[in-house]
Amino acid sequence: YSNENNFKSSTNINLTLNYRPLQSLSFELTPGYSKYFNNLMYVNQVDYIAEKRYIMANINRNTVNMSIRINYNITPDLTIQYWGQPFVATGEYSEYKHITNSKADALSNRYQTYTPGQISYDEPSETWFIDENIDGITDYSFEKPDFNVKEFLSNLVLRWEYMPGSTVYLVWSQTRNNYVNDGTFAFTNDVKDLFDEGANNIFLVKFSYRFGR
């Protein structure tokens, strides 16, 4: 959807694929992609003289995720279930501005975009500096808000009903996380970076026993 002369727009695509090569084995893939743009995304709040400056910007956000499910019934009493979800979200900010009249009827009259003479970026500190009155002295600053978040969650469960009503579960859970202060979207590289990270692994064993047979 889009509105207010393309000040905001969003695209969402989702798909579900099922495959059952055997009666006892099934696969399900649910990939999704979303793209979001907003001309007035909040960035930060700073003090300037006796006023507050509400910093806004354009944002281009991309999100990709996919849910993977595998179910395998080895026997009626022994099953394996797997679930995994890779997730990548990036946000790139541009055209920084500050609010001048938040109640103006037209969105374009609610803010003032910084000119090249007012805004500068320092790469080593990843900070934007604002010289609003262009007198050669920094009036305020804020950190670069761009982001690139990657996450992978997975669970593998072996379930064995060793007696009617009594079950043992073996569970392996894994989590991978990666974050960088960069809004660049490159899915292949993002996934590679994610799996270059060390994983957090949790192993669990759960027993249940039915009394009163």
Side-chain angles (χ1 to χ4, degrees):
Y1 70 90
S2 63
N3 60 16
E4 195 73 37
N5 296 322
N6 294 323
F7 271 78
K8 182 188 295 186
S9 64
S10 178
T11 301
N12 295 279
I13 301 173
N14 293 281
L15 181 66
T16 298
L17 304 171
N18 292 285
Y19 177 55
R20 187 183 290 272
L22 302 170
Q23 188 63 32
S24 59
L25 178 63
S26 64
F27 298 87
E28 181 181 285
L29 298 179
T30 309
Y33 170 75
S34 66
K35 184 176 181 62
Y36 176 76
F37 171 81
N38 191 332
N39 183 263
L40 278 178
M41 177 60 67
Y42 175 81
V43 174
N44 209 330
Q45 175 183 321
V46 299
D47 294 321
Y48 177 55
I49 309 178
E51 301 179 4
K52 293 287 186 181
R53 282 287 184 260
Y54 295 92
I55 312 300
M56 315 295 283
N58 293 4
I59 185 173
N60 280 292
R61 188 178 69 207
N62 292 277
T63 304
V64 175
N65 65 81
M66 182 165 62
S67 178
I68 305 165
R69 295 182 184 275
I70 302 173
N71 293 293
Y72 182 34
N73 297 325
I74 302 172
T75 70
D77 301 325
L78 183 62
T79 63
I80 296 177
Q81 295 179 323
Y82 174 80
W83 173 83
Q85 185 181 65
F87 172 89
V88 177
T90 65
E92 186 175 18
Y93 292 77
S94 61
E95 294 189 28
Y96 293 93
K97 60 207 74 174
H98 66 87
I99 297 298
T100 54
N101 182 1
S102 62
K103 298 181 179 180
D105 291 335
L107 282 176
S108 58
N109 293 330
R110 296 181 185 179
Y111 62 84
Q112 178 180 323
T113 302
Y114 294 114
T115 66
Q118 291 178 307
I119 187 168
S120 61
Y121 180 67
D122 180 64
E123 184 71 39
S125 64
E126 296 185 334
T127 302
W128 287 98
F129 293 94
I130 306 298
D131 177 10
E132 190 169 315
N133 56 11
I134 317 181
D135 63 355
I137 300 173
T138 297
D139 295 310
Y140 48 89
S141 63
F142 53 90
E143 294 182 354
K144 175 184 176 182
D146 295 9
F147 62 86
N148 187 312
V149 178
K150 298 174 277 285
E151 185 177 63
F152 181 76
L153 306 175
S154 66
N155 288 291
L156 180 65
V157 179
L158 175 67
R159 176 185 177 277
W160 176 37
E161 189 172 357
Y162 57 93
M163 290 191 298
S166 299
T167 309
V168 60
Y169 298 88
L170 303 179
V171 182
W172 172 31
S173 294
Q174 185 180 94
T175 303
R176 295 174 182 267
N177 295 284
N178 180 274
Y179 173 87
V180 292
N181 196 7
D182 185 352
T184 303
F185 179 74
F187 181 73
T188 301
N189 291 333
D190 287 332
V191 172
K192 179 181 180 299
D193 291 343
L194 178 58
F195 283 92
D196 286 341
E197 292 288 318
N200 295 318
N201 294 289
I202 298 176
F203 297 92
L204 299 172
V205 180
K206 178 183 176 181
F207 289 92
S208 68
Y209 180 78
R210 180 180 177 183
F211 294 91
R213 298 182 182 282

